[in-house]
Amino acid sequence: MAIYKQPCIHCGSLVERDARFCPKCGSRNPFGFQCPSCLRSIDKGSQVCANCGRPLYVTCPFCGERTFVLEICEHCGRTLMVPCQNRRCGERKFFENEKCTVCGKKIKIKLR
Ligand SMILES: [Zn+2]
Ligand SMILES: [Zn+2]
Ligand SMILES: [Zn+2]
Ligand SMILES: [Zn+2]
């Protein structure tokens, strides 16, 4: 059976269509965007998440530009994800999230 691959929208590497995450950049949603708070699918260009109401444009803490809630800043390319501080969890979370969406542990922001 042929394996169909499609480029990851976050890093551009080819990923199997049914992959749960991108093996190159670790994105959990290689072919779409998801809300960093509730993990529902979102459309690029939407201002707020239709499910939880979270704003989908944020100010990058590195370059100060407004960027869509991607895993990396659209302007400076720095990662906007921080690792969960629960060592048994290890999930990467969006920097603005106050709690890990997987284990619920509070996240201290240590980007700078
Ligand atoms: Zn990727
Ligand atoms: Zn949401
Ligand atoms: Zn930036
Ligand atoms: Zn966690």
Side-chain angles (χ1 to χ4, degrees), residues 67-97:
T67 180
F68 194 63
V69 287
L70 302 172
E71 298 183 3
I72 55 171
C73 172
E74 294 177 289
H75 300 278
C76 66
R78 305 264 316 250
T79 180
L80 298 176
M81 306 295 277
V82 291
C84 176
Q85 294 181 332
N86 179 351
R87 270 190 249 126
R88 280 200 248 154
C89 172
E91 185 68 25
R92 285 157 71 243
K93 290 289 119 220
F94 195 66
F95 77 97
E96 280 192 333
N97 282 15

Side-chain angles (χ1 to χ4, degrees), residues 3-6 14-23 27-31:
I3 298 169
Y4 293 98
K5 293 195 172 186
Q6 194 173 318
L14 290 174
V15 183
E16 288 173 30
R17 287 283 294 277
D18 58 356
R20 290 281 189 81
F21 62 93
C22 171
S27 169
R28 305 185 82 214
N29 199 354
F31 312 122

